[in-house]
Amino acid sequence: MKRIFSILVFCLAAMSLARAASPITQEELVRRTQELFDSVVPGDKAPWKKYYADDCLFHDEKGRSLDKAKLLADIEPLPTGYSGSIKVKNAESRITGETAVLSYDCNETETIFGQELHARYHQTDTWMLRKGDWQIVASQTMRYYEDPAVGKADPAKFPGFTGTYALGPERKANISAENGQLFMERTGGKKVQLFPESGDIFFRKEVEGRILFRADDQGKIESLIDRRNNEDVVWRKEN
């Protein structure tokens, strides 16, 4: 009888250990992640309560750091006139023991009163197995940079923009105009086109930030502003 009891205890312990070490696959992680995003539009908090740990760290593309309570409070139905979806794409994972990392793209489509918008994000989630349940303990999202729409510029202003601008004695930028288009060439760099966004605001393709031309009280251009994340690097005009 003691032998049978010992075997039974051993079997129960083995079963418990097997449940505690429940494996998970990339396919299941993607399924759960898509379930989370599908619940955003209706504002369904249930999957977020289930899959995010109580002590989770959540960092979004807006630079916010949210705990679980704030994360759940952020999940609300879209207002009337809004609709959309988020699809999980290009998933990759690293799964070892009781830790799984899932990294993927989020392709978002949002319709606002008939106007369709698109955005792309990249998110990385860390899942951990705790008491038999896989939950997200940390999540971080970054937004892919997209160029703004090209606007219209007044080529008649370009002669005032052209010339040499200096950041330092050995660091300069030359602004030139050709066939109604504006170009910038920095010391040791390539010549790149400046595309108009609005008025005297320009941008470079695939480069986050803006190029602005600042005039003095008499309307003469005195500097070029390289604006990055709302901070300015000023290049003084030499000629």
Side-chain angles (χ1 to χ4, degrees):
M1 182 64 70
K2 290 183 178 179
R3 178 177 176 81
I4 295 174
F5 180 76
S6 298
I7 293 174
L8 181 60
V9 170
F10 175 80
C11 290
L12 290 173
M15 291 173 61
S16 177
L17 182 62
R19 286 196 298 270
S22 300
I24 198 164
T25 63
Q26 176 174 306
E27 290 74 17
E28 175 60 16
L29 292 173
V30 170
R31 187 198 69 77
R32 294 185 183 192
T33 303
Q34 189 61 63
E35 182 183 347
L36 286 166
F37 289 131
D38 289 344
S39 70
V40 170
V41 172
D44 181 7
K45 301 178 189 287
W48 298 81
K49 291 180 180 177
K50 179 180 179 181
Y51 294 134
Y52 273 85
D54 290 340
D55 59 347
C56 69
L57 303 173
F58 187 91
H59 304 279
D60 70 8
E61 75 283 357
K62 300 175 185 177
R64 299 183 301 169
S65 298
L66 308 178
D67 58 18
K68 188 171 183 177
K70 292 179 180 178
L71 174 60
L72 291 176
D74 209 46
I75 306 298
E76 295 289 344
L78 292 184
T80 302
Y82 287 65
S83 63
S85 65
I86 300 175
K87 299 300 181 183
V88 177
K89 299 291 184 180
N90 306 320
E92 294 183 285
S93 65
R94 300 292 185 269
I95 304 173
T96 303
E98 298 181 353
T99 303
V101 176
L102 185 69
S103 190
Y104 53 92
D105 288 338
C106 307
N107 290 357
E108 180 183 43
T109 300
E110 185 176 16
T111 303
I112 304 177
F113 289 91
Q115 301 181 56
E116 189 170 284
L117 307 176
H118 299 273
R120 293 190 310 127
Y121 306 88
H122 190 82
Q123 186 161 323
T124 300
D125 301 328
T126 300
W127 296 71
M128 291 187 68
L129 181 62
R130 292 174 168 178
K131 298 180 180 180
D133 291 327
W134 285 93
Q135 290 188 310
I136 299 173
V137 297
S139 182
Q140 184 167 25
T141 307
M142 299 175 291
R143 181 167 185 166
Y144 286 108
Y145 172 74
E146 302 288 349
D147 289 327
V150 177
K152 292 184 178 180
D154 182 3
K157 292 184 177 181
F158 288 1
F161 298 155
T162 60
T164 301
Y165 297 78
L167 184 62
E170 298 180 0
R171 186 65 171 170
K172 300 186 179 184
N174 183 63
I175 302 297
S176 60
E178 301 173 17
N179 302 318
Q181 296 177 329
L182 207 61
F183 296 87
M184 180 171 69
E185 186 174 3
R186 296 185 182 186
T187 303
K190 297 187 298 183
K191 189 175 184 179
V192 298
Q193 185 175 351
L194 300 180
F195 294 88
E197 181 178 1
S198 176
D200 298 343
I201 303 174
F202 297 81
F203 66 93
R204 292 160 288 171
K205 289 284 188 179
E206 300 181 355
V207 178
E208 190 167 5
R210 301 293 186 270
I211 298 295
L212 300 85
F213 294 92
R214 184 166 63 192
D216 59 20
D217 294 339
Q218 285 72 46
K220 183 178 179 180
I221 299 299
E222 63 176 6
S223 59
L224 177 155
I225 298 173
D226 185 355
R227 180 162 293 168
R228 310 175 186 178
N229 195 28
N230 294 322
E231 293 189 307
D232 294 345
V233 177
V234 180
W235 300 63
R236 301 295 179 185
K237 191 172 185 183
E238 291 189 331
N239 57 56

